[in-house]
């Protein structure tokens, strides 16, 4: 795998994780401090009196329920303090769960991926073959039934894995959502994450047929590098009814574990005509 190919985390997702995690840790610290204080010193107001039913036999407690100096000098008999310890432990466990759930929510937060620009973009482009560049940057289309990914896997590859952008390295499509459409191009019914791709009305179609918007195709691009991938059509299989018809030359295949297909990710950008 070339050095420029890397799975990028969304900058927005990272920021969300940092904010949620920071707030969670701050709350945890405050709760734990309060709990530790309660464990160490007990609740002075709460132990001023003890109900008759809870008075240990033989302990010097006045008839009014006031705790005598002798009992105050017996910390092992401070039942309220023992309760505070249990309560403090409960707070600590609850806070740990809060931190975990906060971090999980931050990691799952959907947000746009970071854009690849400048020298990084040019360096990645220079590593591509001339035909891959034609497809990625000029929206050329490979001949059906002949395509190969940028790292040599055939268009009809059936191995398990993830199809990523050869420019940004962003994971785009999963083998779990890949199917044989009979068209001769790699086809998928959903992307891995809708925020990783961009859909728009094809600029070439708009220029060629400005008065016929219903004939414009919907172009699919890698959002991070804004490179061409293919098109999406409304004639796919269940569960989405969409066919993401892509050029193998615009993809890089990473063999291995593949995420499950998620129908909810098969959404188009708002300005797309459906």
């Amino acid at each position: 795998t070339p050095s420029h190919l890397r799975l990028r985390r969304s900058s927005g997702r990272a920021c969300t994780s940092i904010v949620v995690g920071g707030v969670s840790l701050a709350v945890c610290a405050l709760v734990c401090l309060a709990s530790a204080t309660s464990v160490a010193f007990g609740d002075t107001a709460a132990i001023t009196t003890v109900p008759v039913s809870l008075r240990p036999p033989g302990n010097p407690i006045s008839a009014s329920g006031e705790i005598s100096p002798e009992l105050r000098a017996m910390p092992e008999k401070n039942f309220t303090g023992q309760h505070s310890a249990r309560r403090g432990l409960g707070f600590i466990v609850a806070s740990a769960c809060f931190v975990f759930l906060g971090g999980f929510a931050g990691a799952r937060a959907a947000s746009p991926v970071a854009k690849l620009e400048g020298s990084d973009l040019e360096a990645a482009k220079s590593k591509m073959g001339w035909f891959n560049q034609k497809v990625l940057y000029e929206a050329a289309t490979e001949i059906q039934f002949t395509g190969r990914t940028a790292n040599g896997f055939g268009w009809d590859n059936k191995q398990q894995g993830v199809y990523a952008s050869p420019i940004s390295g962003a994971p785009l499509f999963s083998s779990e959502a890949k199917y044989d459409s009979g068209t001769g191009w790699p086809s998928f019914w959903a992307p891995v994450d809708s925020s990783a791709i961009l859909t728009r009305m094809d600029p070439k179609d708009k220029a060629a047929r400005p008065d016929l918007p219903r004939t414009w195709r919907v172009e699919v691009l890698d959002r991070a590098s804004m490179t061409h991938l293919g098109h999406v059509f409304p004639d796919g299989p269940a569960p989405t009814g969409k066919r993401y018809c892509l050029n193998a030359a615009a993809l890089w295949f990473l063999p291995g574990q593949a995420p499950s297909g998620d129908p909810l990710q098969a959404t188009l950008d708002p300005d797309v005509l459906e």
Side-chain angles (χ1 to χ4, degrees), residues 59-271:
N59 280 335
I61 303 177
S62 66
S64 64
E66 294 295 323
I67 298 177
S68 68
E70 291 86 350
L71 182 57
R72 289 184 181 276
M74 301 171 63
E76 69 277 5
K77 295 298 184 181
N78 188 343
F79 295 100
T80 306
Q82 293 173 14
H83 173 70
S84 296
R86 289 193 296 271
R87 182 177 59 188
L89 180 60
F91 279 151
I92 293 172
V93 173
S95 300
C97 293
F98 182 76
V99 171
F100 173 78
L101 292 175
F104 179 76
R108 292 287 297 174
S111 52
V113 295
K115 275 199 166 187
L116 187 66
E117 299 175 329
S119 58
D120 287 342
L121 187 62
E122 288 303 314
K125 179 180 178 180
S126 67
K127 292 180 171 65
M128 294 293 100
W130 72 270
F131 183 68
N132 300 90
Q133 292 190 30
K134 291 282 288 184
V135 172
L136 289 161
Y137 294 96
E138 300 177 31
T141 301
E142 66 194 17
I143 300 174
Q144 59 193 129
F145 301 104
T146 67
R148 303 192 76 80
T149 66
N151 57 334
F153 289 84
W155 67 274
D156 56 350
N157 174 40
K158 293 179 173 58
Q159 292 187 50
Q160 187 179 49
V162 173
Y163 291 84
S165 165
I167 303 300
S168 71
L172 302 176
F173 292 87
S174 169
S175 61
E176 293 297 303
K178 191 172 188 283
Y179 72 100
D180 184 3
S181 63
T183 61
W185 289 286
S187 301
F188 305 83
W189 48 259
V192 170
D193 187 338
S194 61
S195 70
I197 65 171
L198 182 145
T199 53
R200 66 182 183 185
M201 306 312 297
D202 193 311
K204 290 185 176 181
D205 291 351
K206 292 172 68 174
R209 300 181 296 278
D211 298 327
L212 298 171
R214 289 297 172 184
T215 68
W216 300 344
R217 294 169 298 173
V218 179
E219 185 183 16
V220 182
L221 301 96
D222 167 40
R223 191 181 294 270
S225 62
M226 291 301 291
T227 50
H228 176 79
L229 300 173
H231 297 86
V232 57
F233 301 94
D235 58 4
T240 66
K242 289 186 171 62
R243 171 170 59 96
Y244 290 80
C245 185
L246 311 180
N247 291 279
L251 302 170
W252 186 286
F253 182 66
L254 299 168
Q257 186 174 0
S260 300
D262 182 1
L264 297 178
Q265 302 306 316
T267 58
L268 306 183
D269 286 278
D271 60 343

Side-chain angles (χ1 to χ4, degrees), residues 23-50:
V23 172
S24 301
L25 288 173
V27 172
C28 178
L30 290 174
V31 172
C32 288
L33 179 61
S35 301
T37 303
S38 178
V39 171
F41 300 105
D43 190 339
T44 303
I47 64 172
T48 301
T49 61
V50 177

